[in-house]
């Protein structure tokens, strides 16, 4: 692409924002990348080739999109902010492999969009809006979507939370879902200086490779995740108390105690002490 059209630096980003009379919208979590080195590394971390279709969530003014479009066969971008659409038409005009869709990713029919564009499967790449990182990742993991991998810039703290196991204060529904559905690897940490405006937190790029089959077998995975949600709603309580008072999964105390005894566990155990495998066993016993 031409040098003038390239967006990955502060001066050009400011110029494009000025040209269209727009500024970063906090309510949409807009922090634009301005570091060409980081942009390169994100695309490299995602392992994109010309055989790939990439689904980019939140292209913004198109900075990361330009890099993805250079490496991928096809790029489908979903952007919620209508004001970005004319900007993207301008900044991506040199590419013929990019489609921009003006929708909220949480309401979009991702499966339908990919099918419509002839994509048997896709890799997700994004600098995510931090205010909805968890719902987006849960949606991408839980729904039966033809997605191979998810390489995303997120808050560093959330990236760390995704990778922890039992016993950590950060262990919870998100780390269990990530472990159930994927192999996760933090690729790099990123300073606030790489964005306009600067976010208040450090960031990290994490890659989740979706497993062909979930990591553990369980009879009813949605029931297991309701149990997990219930267990962590009040994480300081014992599992029996948390579940018998939970809104996500309510069952009587005796049933949970019997299940824990059957598993050879102490009835006063807390949910945060159970592994993914143990949640699966518990779920299978409770749904018998
Ligand atoms: N990709 C650009 C970059 O790296 O410079 C912008 C990233 S910015 C952190 C997040 C982007 O996600 C913004 O463009 C924002 O408007 C968009 N966004 C926020 N909520 C969204 C949603 N629910 N669906 C789709 N896009 C959304």
């Amino acid at each position: 692409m031409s040098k003038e059209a390239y967006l990955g630096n502060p001066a050009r980003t400011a110029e494009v924002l000025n040209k269209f009379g727009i500024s970063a919208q906090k309510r949409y979590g807009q922090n634009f990348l301005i570091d060409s080195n980081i942009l390169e590394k994100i695309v490299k971390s995602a392992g994109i080739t010309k055989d790939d279709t990439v689904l980019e969530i939140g292209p913004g003014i198109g900075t990361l999109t330009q890099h993805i479009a250079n490496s991928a066969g096809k790029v489908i971008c979903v952007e919620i902010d209508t004001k970005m659409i004319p900007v993207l038409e301008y900044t991506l005009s040199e590419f013929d492999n990019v489609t921009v869709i003006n929708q909220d990713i949480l309401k979009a029919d991702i499966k339908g969009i990919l099918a419509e564009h002839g994509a048997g499967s896709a890799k997700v790449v994004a600098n995510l809006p931090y205010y909805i990182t968890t719902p987006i990742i849960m949606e991408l993991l839980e729904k039966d979507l033809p997605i191979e991998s998810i390489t995303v810039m997120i808050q560093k703290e959330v990236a760390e939370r995704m990778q922890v196991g039992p016993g950590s204060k950060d262990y919870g529904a998100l780390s269990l879902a990530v472990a159930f559905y994927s192999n996760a690897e933090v690729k790099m940490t990123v300073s606030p200086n790489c964005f306009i405006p600067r976010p208040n937190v450090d960031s990290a790029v994490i890659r989740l490779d979706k497993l062909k089959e979930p990591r553990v077998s369980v009879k009813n995975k949605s029931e297991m995740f309701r149990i997990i949600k219930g267990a962590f709603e009040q994480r300081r309580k014992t599992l029996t108390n948390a579940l018998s008072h939970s809104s996500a999964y309510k069952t009587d105390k005796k049933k949970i105690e019997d299940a824990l005894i059957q598993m050879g566990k102490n009835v006063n155990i807390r949910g945060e002490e159970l592994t993914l495998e143990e949640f699966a066993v518990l779920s299978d016993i409770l749904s018998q």
Side-chain angles (χ1 to χ4, degrees):
M1 69 177 302
S2 63
K3 204 163 164 258
E4 311 78 67
Y6 181 70
L7 288 166
N9 61 68
R12 183 71 181 134
T13 300
E15 199 181 306
V16 168
L17 291 172
N18 277 340
K19 178 178 167 71
F20 285 86
I22 53 176
S23 51
Q25 296 285 311
K26 215 173 174 177
R27 71 186 165 123
Y28 289 139
Q30 291 176 352
N31 298 95
F32 304 115
L33 273 165
I34 49 164
D35 187 308
S36 58
N37 186 31
I38 298 293
L39 287 154
E40 281 295 327
K41 279 193 182 165
I42 295 173
V43 172
K44 213 165 167 203
S45 301
I48 298 166
T49 70
K50 287 284 170 200
D51 292 334
D52 292 320
T53 295
V54 171
L55 171 66
E56 188 195 4
I57 299 164
I61 63 170
T63 316
L64 179 57
T65 324
Q66 292 182 337
H67 284 258
I68 301 169
N70 271 328
S71 305
K74 215 182 262 182
V75 193
I76 303 166
C77 309
V78 179
E79 170 59 58
I80 196 171
D81 186 358
T82 308
K83 286 198 176 144
M84 292 298 164
I85 306 307
V87 184
L88 290 164
E89 270 165 27
Y90 170 70
T91 60
L92 301 173
S93 62
E94 291 185 21
F95 296 94
D96 59 6
N97 60 345
V98 182
T99 306
V100 176
I101 298 169
N102 186 198
Q103 270 187 44
D104 177 345
I105 192 67
L106 293 175
K107 295 190 184 140
D109 168 15
I110 298 173
K111 207 175 206 167
I113 289 172
L114 294 178
E116 207 178 295
H117 290 84
S121 69
K123 291 178 174 169
V124 171
V125 181
N127 170 17
L128 285 181
Y130 293 176
Y131 75 109
I132 44 167
T133 299
T134 303
I136 292 176
I137 290 187
M138 292 299 267
E139 170 105 5
L140 296 174
L141 289 174
E142 282 182 337
K143 290 235 174 105
D144 182 27
L145 298 171
I147 286 173
E148 294 166 47
S149 63
I150 304 165
T151 304
V152 281
M153 174 91 72
I154 58 178
Q155 202 175 320
K156 184 172 163 232
E157 214 182 283
V158 179
E160 283 162 0
R161 211 185 306 152
M162 284 184 184
Q163 290 194 298
V164 295
S168 157
K169 69 170 177 30
D170 290 330
Y171 184 54
L174 182 61
S175 28
L176 282 156
V178 166
F180 185 70
Y181 290 107
S182 72
N183 283 325
E185 188 187 347
V186 172
K187 295 288 189 179
M188 64 184 130
T189 55
V190 181
S191 140
N193 295 330
C194 298
F195 305 85
I196 287 182
R198 291 172 91 249
N200 296 324
V201 291
D202 283 334
S203 304
V205 173
I206 193 166
R207 173 167 161 176
L208 310 177
D209 283 308
K210 268 183 111 176
L211 299 169
K212 294 246 174 323
E213 293 296 328
R215 191 172 307 276
V216 300
S217 86
V218 61
K219 287 193 190 109
N220 184 336
K221 65 179 180 188
S222 64
E223 172 151 326
M224 180 181 78
F225 279 105
R226 275 189 289 117
I227 293 172
I228 288 171
K229 196 160 175 236
F232 288 97
E233 261 172 2
Q234 291 169 294
R235 57 185 305 139
R236 301 311 299 164
K237 283 194 172 176
T238 64
L239 182 67
T240 351
N241 277 333
L243 288 185
S244 54
H245 293 102
S246 148
S247 57
Y249 183 84
K250 207 165 179 159
T251 190
D252 69 71
K253 225 169 155 168
K254 175 82 174 51
K255 215 177 152 194
I256 308 161
E257 282 178 355
D258 288 347
L260 287 172
I261 291 166
Q262 197 178 324
M263 290 168 67
K265 292 281 170 195
N266 186 318
V267 292
N268 293 321
I269 198 167
R270 288 198 301 263
E272 62 188 10
E273 295 172 78
L274 290 189
T275 63
L276 173 62
E277 290 75 9
E278 288 167 340
F279 272 112
V281 174
L282 177 66
S283 168
D284 282 355
I285 297 174
L286 288 175
S287 57
Q288 260 165 24

